[in-house]
Amino acid sequence: MAGADEAGRGSLAGPLVVAGVLLDYEELRGARVRPLAALNDSKQVAPEDRERLFEAVAASAAAISVRIVPSGEIDRSGLHRSNLAGLSAVLADLHPPAEACLVDGFRLGSAAPPHEALVDGDTRSAAIAAASIVAKVVRDRVMRRLDALYPGYGFVSHVGYITPAHTEAVRAFGPSDLHRRSFQAACYEAA
């Protein structure tokens, strides 16, 4: 079973990170499946628990694919189109191909591998929850590293999402190269 999900759709800055995870349920038994028991939507898991789950998924998945879509690509192609292309790509990357593919909430079109869109899939499917964890952990790590290249914006704390501190930083310094200029954010008006 393969699951696909993304992190960073609602972010003002930074990439969209899309992940696909292939789980071989026949191989996940006993001690191999226990570390995955807490899988859930990444937004509902504490950061330190996400890190532990990330390691457990990496150790037990048959395959993992990650695509990072930069903010410039999101601005050129649009968030929705970038998301669908990324979800389709990560499912196509997985080898061996999955017997079934689940995507958190989106139908990807006929060019994508055969799949089923599952609303709230990250809370209903272990494969999608695993992809949610991978995408969120990878994205947060990327944003924390980018904080060193873009000091003053506070990416280490808010990882690109809109917060009062992030809004103030954009008003003070203007948007960085990481900011999604296609988004209609109030903080851009003052910059």
Side-chain angles (χ1 to χ4, degrees), residues 148-175:
L149 298 175
Y150 296 88
Y153 289 97
F155 294 138
V156 73
S157 63
H158 57 65
V159 295
Y161 289 92
I162 298 173
T163 65
H166 189 187
T167 298
E168 287 305 313
V170 172
R171 287 186 175 142
F173 304 119

Side-chain angles (χ1 to χ4, degrees), residues 12-179:
L12 181 63
L16 176 71
V17 176
V18 187
V21 174
L22 179 63
L23 296 178
D24 183 345
Y25 291 134
E26 294 296 318
E27 297 292 321
L28 291 177
R29 302 199 183 281
R32 290 202 62 204
V33 76
R34 281 188 202 100
L36 302 177
L39 277 174
N40 198 353
D41 173 3
S42 63
K43 295 179 291 298
Q44 297 182 25
V45 178
E48 58 277 0
D49 294 333
R50 279 196 302 260
E51 289 288 339
R52 280 192 288 278
L53 282 167
F54 178 87
E55 297 302 328
V57 169
S60 60
I64 296 174
S65 174
V66 175
R67 296 282 179 116
I68 297 176
V69 183
S71 54
E73 177 63 27
I74 293 166
D75 286 342
R76 281 188 298 282
S77 300
L79 177 63
H80 186 65
R81 184 173 290 163
S82 297
N83 187 40
L84 296 182
L87 290 165
S88 181
V90 295
L91 289 177
D93 287 346
L94 297 173
H95 293 286
E99 292 176 16
C101 296
L102 298 174
V103 178
D104 187 29
F106 294 101
R107 289 191 177 89
L108 306 178
S110 60
H115 64 283
E116 180 180 334
L118 188 60
V119 175
D120 295 325
D122 45 10
T123 61
R124 299 170 56 199
S125 160
I128 295 175
S132 174
I133 294 291
V134 169
K136 178 68 173 150
V137 168
V138 168
R139 186 177 188 288
D140 286 358
R141 288 177 179 179
V142 165
M143 291 304 295
R144 287 187 185 105
R145 288 187 179 119
L146 287 170
D147 184 72
L149 298 175
Y150 296 88
Y153 289 97
F155 294 138
V156 73
S157 63
H158 57 65
V159 295
Y161 289 92
I162 298 173
T163 65
H166 189 187
T167 298
E168 287 305 313
V170 172
R171 287 186 175 142
F173 304 119
S176 72
D177 294 341
L178 297 179
H179 284 87

